[in-house]
Amino acid sequence: MTRPIERIEQDLVGLQEAVRAIAQELKTAYTSYLKVLGKTMRQQLILATYYLCTQGYPEKFLNLSLNQRQLLQQAIRYLGTQTAQQLLNYEQADTELVTEEIETEDDLEDDLEMDEMEADFYLLPFPEESKEPREFVRWQQSLEIFIQNKLKEASQEANQILYKSRLLPQEIPKNILDIANTVSEATTEIIPTIPNVPNILNMVIGLEDEEDSEEANLTQVIAISLRLGEIEFTDANLTSERKQIRHIVNRLHKITVEHQKIQREKSIAEAEAAWRSSWYED
């Protein structure tokens, strides 16, 4: 038997209040997480650059003058600081495009069908006044994509700094490094990382021989690739922050499913009432 509409609406109001409380808790958790992530990311960027200069291309690094080495180090430090600030100040980046798709989370139940967002969309602002849990889910997903994109951008900029400093092989096309970072996000088999060295890519690229177009010269390239999972793994505090976020997101997903069920119950109750109000015997 369908419950009275007034009772259903009371349940909806209670759920909406709970949703907003969970959403605020999630926003606070992300602020704390991004602060730690920025600090750890900067450290890992410097460590990855150190490895590349001292283990990957030591001879080329030694060929640099003292001033060139200092300029390279300064550029990497600045890049790390700048990226950390951008992560923490994500709310100021509402007009920045995030070029990915948001898809339904695996742990959402089948009856919660999240709409896929367009391939090009803006980082969603926090829906402060919203009472719809789906909007907070979409905000959280867009923020995760924003974080991934910032790490990818930082990796690309770091590799360009190393390329311009003539540490990376000059015979490879510049866009190869960008492509490598994109591929590395999708698979660890095609472009493996170096064991026990986080955020480093070790790849072999085939370059065409100008004299013999049928043969390719294989060139090993070691480059920087900041990966969120590897950054989190290196810092216990960051791992703990991520665990807290997952816990809150799971609660948000559960209440989103419950909210949709009650919304449907309300629609059914209203439809039944509308049927009764318009029905009459011939």
Side-chain angles (χ1 to χ4, degrees):
M1 182 177 178
T2 305
R3 295 189 299 160
I5 295 177
E6 294 77 10
R7 179 66 180 276
I8 297 174
E9 289 177 340
Q10 289 176 1
D11 288 352
L12 276 176
V13 170
L15 273 179
Q16 288 167 350
E17 291 176 355
V19 164
R20 295 184 65 176
I22 292 174
Q24 287 293 339
E25 186 180 350
L26 182 61
K27 183 180 180 183
T28 301
Y30 264 110
T31 299
S32 177
Y33 168 81
L34 290 172
K35 184 176 181 179
V36 181
L37 174 62
K39 180 181 178 181
T40 306
M41 176 277 305
R42 184 179 185 274
Q43 294 172 343
Q44 289 300 309
L45 174 62
I46 293 172
L47 286 174
T49 306
Y50 168 80
Y51 175 88
L52 195 144
C53 291
T54 61
Q55 305 292 321
Y57 302 103
E59 295 84 3
K60 292 184 178 181
F61 183 68
L62 290 172
N63 287 336
L64 299 179
S65 67
L66 175 60
N67 183 58
Q68 288 173 325
R69 296 174 198 167
Q70 290 176 334
L71 288 175
L72 186 155
Q73 293 168 343
Q74 182 182 12
I76 291 296
R77 289 197 301 269
Y78 176 77
L79 174 61
T81 300
Q82 183 184 48
T83 304
Q85 291 175 346
Q86 290 172 346
L87 287 170
L88 189 58
N89 299 327
Y90 69 90
E91 289 185 286
Q92 300 175 12
D94 291 342
T95 59
E96 183 166 344
L97 279 174
V98 183
T99 55
E100 297 288 345
E101 286 187 355
I102 288 182
E103 298 178 352
T104 306
E105 292 288 333
D106 292 337
D107 52 359
L108 281 176
E109 295 186 12
D110 292 338
D111 57 353
L112 176 60
E113 296 180 358
M114 299 295 295
D115 297 329
E116 287 191 1
M117 302 186 73
E118 296 179 358
D120 291 332
F121 65 95
Y122 293 98
L123 170 61
L124 301 178
F126 184 75
E128 198 78 42
E129 302 300 324
S130 177
K131 298 179 181 179
E132 292 294 326
R134 290 164 64 98
E135 291 191 24
F136 293 107
V137 171
R138 288 160 67 87
W139 167 79
Q140 184 267 336
Q141 292 175 327
S142 75
L143 181 55
E144 284 292 333
I145 292 175
F146 172 79
I147 293 170
Q148 293 284 359
N149 276 13
K150 280 301 169 187
L151 295 180
K152 182 169 66 176
E153 289 173 10
S155 300
Q156 292 172 347
E157 290 185 35
N159 287 326
Q160 290 303 323
I161 291 171
L162 294 167
Y163 186 88
K164 291 177 181 178
S165 298
R166 307 190 72 81
L167 264 76
L168 298 184
Q170 298 298 294
E171 61 270 21
I172 64 173
K174 289 183 179 181
N175 65 335
I176 286 292
L177 297 173
D178 296 340
I179 295 172
N181 274 302
T182 301
V183 174
S184 71
E185 293 177 347
T187 178
T188 57
E189 296 179 359
I190 297 177
I191 304 178
T193 56
I194 298 176
N196 302 320
V197 183
N199 305 300
I200 289 288
L201 284 179
N202 182 21
M203 50 190 167
V204 176
I205 297 175
L207 302 175
E208 290 187 0
D209 191 325
E210 294 182 357
E211 297 181 358
D212 189 348
S213 60
E214 294 183 359
E215 292 187 5
N217 293 322
L218 298 180
T219 301
Q220 182 181 23
V221 179
I222 302 174
I224 292 175
S225 178
L226 296 172
R227 298 188 180 198
L228 186 58
E230 293 182 353
I231 294 173
E232 289 179 344
F233 184 75
T234 61
D235 190 298
N237 291 332
L238 192 57
T239 301
S240 177
E241 296 278 357
R242 170 58 72 178
K243 184 177 180 180
Q244 176 67 10
I245 286 176
R246 288 198 185 102
H247 175 67
I248 299 172
V249 169
N250 285 338
R251 288 164 52 202
L252 180 60
H253 286 168
K254 289 178 181 179
I255 204 169
T256 301
V257 172
E258 184 64 21
H259 184 270
Q260 187 172 21
K261 288 179 179 178
I262 295 180
Q263 281 280 27
R264 177 169 173 75
E265 183 184 6
K266 180 185 176 184
S267 297
I268 292 173
E270 290 176 338
E272 290 178 350
W275 174 274
R276 289 192 297 269
S277 66
S278 62
W279 176 263
Y280 66 92
E281 294 289 346
D282 293 334

